[in-house]
Amino acid sequence: MSAERIGGGGVANPDGKLGAMSVFALAAGGMVGGGIYVALGVVVQASAQWAWLSFLIAGIVAVTSAFSYARLSVLFGKSGGAFEFLEEMKHSGLAGTLSWMLLAGYVLTIALYGYAFGEYVANAFGGGPWMKRGLSVGAMVGLTALNLGGLGKMTMIEITIVCANLLALMALAVFGLMQWDPDMMTRGIEAKPVSATLVGAAAIFVSYEGFQLLTYEYDQIRKADTRFVPLLTGSAIVVVVIYIAVALGAVMLIGADGAINEKSVALAVAAQKAWGVMGLAVMTLAAAFATSAAINSTLYSSARLAARVAEEKELPSFFSKTNKQDAPYTAILTFGAAAGLLSVTGSLSQLVEAASLVFLMTFLIVNVICLRRVAAWRIVPATGVILGGILGVVLVWRLAQNAPISLSVVVAYAFGAFFLRPVILKKFL
């Protein structure tokens, strides 16, 4: 079923638009869809006992960005997100550059979700590296085929998965918090200074991407002019609370060393510690369905965005071509293949941090636009600009120290998107 036929509460609406429940659930699901399953160990390794505070700091930037995205969507009254904002401001060149960066970020994120799917499912069956890679590729192939068949947006199914996913995460968080033991936050590792929170926050910002996918469907939301800002901002706030609770609760169960040593499947290990084999099964299913839904919806939205950008002549024209199911098949195949390759060749930390850098750059730009164009509540985007800028500097420094090749690739791609894009477009348009 498509987004056009499902509304609030999962019941078909006469006007065919998304209701409040659908918008809230899809925005929250876009964020929780896979990032938290692989981000916990990364942030604990970076900030030790301050992992929960890292999620809070990154979450503040996410909340301000959700607010800015929503306010600008209402201001311009169009679907399209950051690309459309810049197009409306007559900055087509910058819009094109940003769209190239965003699409790269989505490919990295899809790869991260594919990586997480393979890790969690293979872990449940005791599989090794080859099973993990095979599962990642299999998930990517299957979901790419689903999108090619015109089934990339299945709103009712996504909402069901989101609700089950949030329930599983909150159950784990509450159970872990009931075992409260502050010593578990530094078990087996050295405590770190509070300044390490910035390193942790910068490293896992990708865990909060996803809410902006709803801005691509702004014109499909009922009463968007009055509902969109509180719904999108509220969903981000709820996700921040859930992440903090999970970060604390899971570490209470397996300790900081357990979260780091098993960082690819930390939540499954925590669930097994809490409820045995049943816990392992539940969390594995939650991770598998959440990551699958996230791959599906992100591939759908990113391909649609690519087609829209191609129509504006900011991408080669073949990205706008569609098949009989009205699916932009060139974009779907390109992004699916690239993400599948990255999911089996990239390391967890590199995928997380490279994607975080791309989205942090994008959200900074959106907050700057909101600060300039929207008069009310300017303190919100201003906070996003200041705090996001600090995290951006920290993340670049971290990548320069620990993953210089990944940083070089991102910088080279950004350079090409800005300076070489016009040359490429002249050749392919």
Side-chain angles (χ1 to χ4, degrees), residues 330-408:
T330 303
I332 292 170
L333 287 171
T334 301
F335 299 160
L341 179 63
L342 286 170
S343 70
V344 297
T345 58
S347 72
L348 173 59
S349 295
Q350 288 176 335
L351 288 173
V352 169
E353 293 177 13
S356 290
L357 180 58
V358 171
F359 287 108
L360 192 50
M361 290 167 52
T362 304
F363 293 171
L364 271 172
I365 292 172
V366 172
N367 276 308
V368 168
I369 296 172
C370 186
L371 186 60
R372 293 180 58 187
R373 295 299 299 266
V374 180
W377 293 90
R378 299 183 71 190
I379 185 63
V380 178
T383 301
V385 171
I386 295 170
L387 188 53
I390 294 171
L391 293 181
V393 171
V394 172
L395 183 52
V396 169
W397 172 83
R398 177 179 169 84
L399 285 169
Q401 296 291 317
N402 300 324
I405 295 178
S406 296
L407 178 60
S408 299

Side-chain angles (χ1 to χ4, degrees), residues 242-262:
I242 291 174
Y243 279 0
I244 292 172
V246 170
L248 289 169
V251 172
M252 290 301 115
L253 292 168
I254 59 176
D257 55 346
I260 294 170
N261 295 335
E262 303 289 345

Side-chain angles (χ1 to χ4, degrees), residues 36 50 78 88 161 180 186 190 245 266 325 371 377 383 389 414:
I36 185 61
W50 301 109
K78 288 185 176 182
E88 288 292 315
I161 291 173
W180 184 259
T186 53
E190 291 186 9
Q325 287 72 37
L371 186 60
W377 293 90
T383 301

Side-chain angles (χ1 to χ4, degrees), residues 103-406:
L103 292 172
Y106 288 137
V107 169
L108 286 168
T109 304
I110 294 169
L112 178 63
Y113 296 155
Y115 179 98
F117 178 91
E119 290 287 329
Y120 271 83
V121 176
N123 173 72
F125 292 97
W130 286 107
M131 179 182 282
K132 295 174 184 177
R133 294 187 181 97
L135 287 166
S136 296
V137 172
M140 209 66 65
V141 170
L143 293 165
T144 297
L146 200 65
N147 270 267
L148 289 172
L151 298 174
K153 196 64 179 175
M154 299 178 288
T155 305
M156 187 60 212
I157 294 175
E158 288 180 31
I159 291 173
T160 302
I161 291 173
V162 168
C163 293
N165 184 29
L166 294 180
L167 284 173
L169 290 174
M170 285 307 300
L172 180 66
V174 170
F175 187 89
L177 289 171
M178 291 173 63
Q179 324 300 317
W180 184 259
D181 180 2
D183 291 338
M184 295 293 280
M185 299 171 72
T186 53
R187 192 187 74 178
I189 65 172
E190 291 186 9
K192 294 195 175 183
V194 69
S195 58
T197 56
L198 294 177
V199 178
I204 46 84
F205 194 77
V206 69
S207 297
Y208 287 107
E209 86 72 34
F211 64 82
Q212 80 279 10
L213 298 179
L214 269 294
T215 64
Y216 304 146
E217 299 184 47
Y218 178 80
D219 57 1
Q220 295 297 324
I221 297 172
R222 190 185 308 113
K223 297 181 181 178
D225 56 338
T226 57
R227 290 179 173 179
F228 198 44
V229 174
L231 286 172
L232 205 65
T233 308
S235 67
I237 292 172
V238 168
V239 169
V240 173
V241 173
I242 291 174
Y243 279 0
I244 292 172
V246 170
L248 289 169
V251 172
M252 290 301 115
L253 292 168
I254 59 176
D257 55 346
I260 294 170
N261 295 335
E262 303 289 345
K263 61 183 176 183
S264 296
V265 290
L267 295 188
V269 175
Q272 186 173 17
K273 178 73 174 179
W275 303 302
V277 175
M278 180 60 70
L280 173 63
V282 169
M283 195 55 63
T284 299
L285 285 173
F289 280 113
T291 52
S292 296
I295 292 170
N296 198 50
S297 61
T298 307
L299 185 57
Y300 172 90
S301 296
S302 58
R304 296 285 173 178
L305 174 62
R308 169 78 178 91
V309 174
E311 289 172 358
E312 294 296 323
K313 302 187 184 304
E314 291 295 343
L315 268 177
S317 58
F318 53 75
F319 278 105
S320 64
K321 294 182 178 180
T322 58
N323 60 17
K324 293 180 180 179
Q325 287 72 37
D326 195 34
Y329 65 90
T330 303
I332 292 170
L333 287 171
T334 301
F335 299 160
L341 179 63
L342 286 170
S343 70
V344 297
T345 58
S347 72
L348 173 59
S349 295
Q350 288 176 335
L351 288 173
V352 169
E353 293 177 13
S356 290
L357 180 58
V358 171
F359 287 108
L360 192 50
M361 290 167 52
T362 304
F363 293 171
L364 271 172
I365 292 172
V366 172
N367 276 308
V368 168
I369 296 172
C370 186
L371 186 60
R372 293 180 58 187
R373 295 299 299 266
V374 180
W377 293 90
R378 299 183 71 190
I379 185 63
V380 178
T383 301
V385 171
I386 295 170
L387 188 53
I390 294 171
L391 293 181
V393 171
V394 172
L395 183 52
V396 169
W397 172 83
R398 177 179 169 84
L399 285 169
Q401 296 291 317
N402 300 324
I405 295 178
S406 296

